[in-house]
């Protein structure tokens, strides 16, 4: 072959070889779903059922209101408030996202219990319980109540349920999820169900990855 043709052929073979041996580097991005303003990319807002949810920052009749909450420590200054009573239907939050991991952040008051279960695509993946501490005062901000990784990079539905045999105060702040723009990236699935118990003693603000 002419030298020019040989050079082109070698360049082509080298490019093909590198495409096979060099792994694809995933490009990850964290996105948020605010309780009130919705998804930072799509604008989709979570749904709240049944009736009885309140916008905490605007709720005059709520015990945890803007007069006792430091709104500067709340994501975008807004949260949703509901109290589950055992004889009543469960309170639910439903949100959709596309990504490989999802995290949920709440406010937690030390003077009221919180009992939550989390489902992804209809599968129970997490349980969170915070016990009342009657002798303690204060509010914890941006508390991580769900951490689920190892999801396939495709659309998912997250359902947050407040229920159980006791009263459960829900102060929902926001959701954060990790999106991978490499469509052929498929992380290994992790274990399904984990259970955590929250027993905070002093307010400890948590800082999210995005503002």
């Amino acid at each position: 072959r002419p030298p020019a043709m040989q050079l082109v052929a070698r360049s082509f073979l080298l490019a093909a070889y590198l495409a096979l041996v060099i792994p694809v580097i995933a490009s990850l991005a964290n996105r948020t779903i605010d309780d009130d303003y919705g998804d930072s990319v799509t604008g989709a807002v979570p749904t709240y059922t049944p009736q009885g949810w309140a916008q905490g920052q605007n709720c005059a009749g709520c015990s945890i209101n803007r007069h006792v909450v430091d709104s500067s420590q709340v994501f975008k200054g807004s949260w949703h408030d509901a109290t589950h009573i055992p004889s009543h239907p469960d309170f639910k939050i439903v949100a959709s996202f596309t990504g490989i991991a999802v995290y949920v952040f709440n406010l937690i008051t030390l003077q009221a219990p919180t009992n939550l279960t989390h489902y992804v695509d209809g599968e129970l993946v997490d349980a969170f319980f915070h016990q009342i501490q009657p002798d303690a005062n204060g509010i914890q901000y941006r508390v991580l109540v769900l951490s689920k990784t190892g999801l396939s990079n495709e659309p998912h539905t997250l359902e947050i349920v407040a229920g159980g045999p006791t009263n459960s105060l829900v102060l929902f702040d926001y959701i954060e999820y990790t999106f991978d723009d490499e469509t052929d990236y498929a992380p290994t699935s992790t274990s399904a169900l984990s259970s955590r118990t929250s027993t905070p003693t002093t307010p400890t603000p948590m800082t999210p990855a995005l503002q």
Side-chain angles (χ1 to χ4, degrees), residues 35 53-54 56 62-65 69 74 78-83 93 104-110 112-114 116 139-140 142-143 145 162 168-174:
D35 72 294
W53 285 94
C62 298
S63 59
I64 307 299
N65 54 47
V69 171
V74 180
S78 68
W79 68 96
H80 266 66
D81 180 309
T83 300
I93 305 167
V104 178
F105 296 86
N106 278 21
L107 286 73
I108 297 291
T109 174
L110 305 181
T114 297
L116 302 171
I139 297 173
Q140 283 198 315
R142 301 182 182 184
V143 177
V145 299
S168 178
L169 174 64
V170 184
L171 302 170
F172 168 60
D173 192 358
Y174 70 104

Side-chain angles (χ1 to χ4, degrees), residues 55 107 112 120 137:
Q55 291 179 314
L107 286 73
V120 174
N137 293 305

Side-chain angles (χ1 to χ4, degrees), residues 124-146:
L124 177 62
V125 296
D126 182 273
F128 176 90
F129 182 67
H130 160 70
Q131 292 181 326
I132 188 173
Q133 298 185 16
D135 298 328
N137 293 305
I139 297 173
Q140 283 198 315
Y141 298 92
R142 301 182 182 184
V143 177
L144 182 65
V145 299
L146 168 68

Side-chain angles (χ1 to χ4, degrees), residues 1 27 34 44 53 65 68 70 91 106 109 139 161 171 204 207:
R1 296 180 183 178
S27 179
D34 182 64
W53 285 94
N65 54 47
V68 298
D70 181 356
F91 281 99
N106 278 21
T109 174
I139 297 173
V161 180
L171 302 170
T204 306
T207 303

Side-chain angles (χ1 to χ4, degrees), residues 17-57:
Y17 173 76
L18 292 176
L20 292 174
V21 300
I22 297 178
V24 174
I25 299 176
S27 179
L28 305 180
N30 283 342
R31 299 174 177 177
T32 57
I33 304 174
D34 182 64
D35 72 294
D36 203 15
Y37 299 99
D39 193 297
S40 58
V41 175
T42 68
V45 178
T47 59
Y48 301 90
T49 57
Q51 293 183 350
W53 285 94
Q55 291 179 314
Q57 70 278 15

